[in-house]
Amino acid sequence: MGIRLPSSLLPTAKQILKMQLGFFKKQSDVVPKGHVAVYVGDTQRKRFVVPVSYLNHPSFQQLLNRVQEEFGYHHPHGGLTIPCKEGTFIDLTSRLQHS
């Protein structure tokens, strides 16, 4: 003899999968919708999360073109890798944020 629970109380397969994936992912690893992870630095890389709209800005595209010409498109971290000085990147993104 078993107890029957209403189906609304039972989690769906999709909810279970989301819970399992959330358990293994750190919150800091999640990139919000409309953003992209960018790894910046020459040797020790720091992760930044920037709006996708930055990718269309001429200054950001100029930086990406210089990086592509010099280093190619190899991105070992799974995100966009920009081997420039962290201060340079912060300066550029702060100008983009205010424009």
Side-chain angles (χ1 to χ4, degrees), residues 4-72:
R4 292 187 63 113
L5 295 174
S7 61
S8 62
L9 294 178
L10 298 174
T12 64
K14 188 175 181 180
Q15 290 171 325
I16 292 171
L17 183 60
K18 276 186 176 180
M19 288 187 289
Q20 289 174 343
L21 291 175
F23 180 76
F24 293 109
K25 266 191 174 174
K26 293 186 289 185
Q27 190 64 28
S28 61
D29 289 343
V30 177
V31 178
K33 235 180 208 179
H35 291 73
V36 63
V38 179
Y39 296 89
V40 178
D42 290 324
T43 54
Q44 188 173 354
R45 292 186 173 85
K46 184 173 180 182
R47 183 176 186 256
F48 291 88
V49 177
V50 298
V52 172
S53 62
Y54 285 10
L55 300 175
N56 290 326
H57 196 280
S59 298
F60 203 87
Q61 286 183 352
Q62 183 181 13
L63 174 64
L64 292 176
N65 286 333
R66 286 182 26 208
V67 168
Q68 188 272 326
E69 288 171 7
E70 193 169 336
F71 300 101

